[in-house]
Amino acid sequence: MDIIINASFLPHDDPDASMAFYRDALGFEVRKDVGYEGMRWITVGPPGRPEMNIVLTPPAADSGITDDERRTIAEMMAKGTYAGIMLATSDVDGVFDRVQASGAEVMQEPTDQPWGARDCAFRDPAGNTVRIQQLT
């Protein structure tokens, strides 16, 4: 079987701020920036890995979402409890230093976890949790 995770979706509430975080702080390249009716979908990913994508999406774009659900999503994003992603690197401490220097909100400094992983965590401009794990 040859199935990979090609794209994950994270909401944004400020496309320029989110794009700057993923491009400038994490070093991802911007692959697409698509606008439609005042909204933007921005695809980013690690350079040299075109099969790995994060699509930054407007959270209220789905016509099947009710106004109450939009309010709930906005409230959860503001609290930082709506979405997140786990990234991995061969140098978690170096990535932590670079992302922290960008001014990103630190949720957790690099830590050796009891389950054996070393990781750190940030909150992106939309409130999404971005956890970064050391590759072993």
Side-chain angles (χ1 to χ4, degrees):
M1 187 177 294
D2 186 20
I3 297 175
I4 65 169
I5 297 172
N6 179 245
S8 293
F9 294 79
L10 291 175
H12 70 70
D13 54 6
D14 181 337
D16 291 325
S18 290
M19 183 167 59
F21 174 80
Y22 286 93
R23 180 192 59 213
D24 303 337
L26 288 175
F28 285 0
E29 61 186 16
V30 177
R31 298 179 177 153
K32 293 182 185 172
D33 188 349
V34 178
Y36 179 73
E37 295 187 353
M39 297 180 281
R40 287 169 63 192
W41 287 258
I42 302 165
T43 303
V44 297
R49 303 297 302 263
E51 75 281 13
M52 296 180 180
N53 300 282
I54 297 172
V55 183
L56 306 170
T57 66
D62 186 335
S63 61
I65 295 176
T66 67
D67 289 342
D68 284 344
E69 290 168 332
R70 283 187 180 88
R71 278 190 291 278
T72 299
I73 290 169
E75 289 170 5
M76 292 179 73
M77 286 175 64
K79 288 174 43 180
T81 58
Y82 185 66
I85 193 164
M86 172 77 82
L87 305 175
T89 179
S90 60
D91 181 15
V92 72
D93 293 281
V95 170
F96 175 83
D97 290 344
R98 188 176 72 230
V99 176
Q100 182 183 38
S102 76
E105 181 183 347
V106 175
M107 296 174 62
Q108 175 203 299
E109 295 190 4
T111 303
D112 293 323
Q113 301 292 352
W115 56 86
R118 180 171 180 75
D119 65 2
C120 64
F122 294 90
R123 199 171 307 283
D124 80 3
N128 302 307
T129 298
V130 178
R131 185 164 289 281
I132 304 167
Q133 184 172 327
Q134 176 74 40
L135 287 173
T136 56

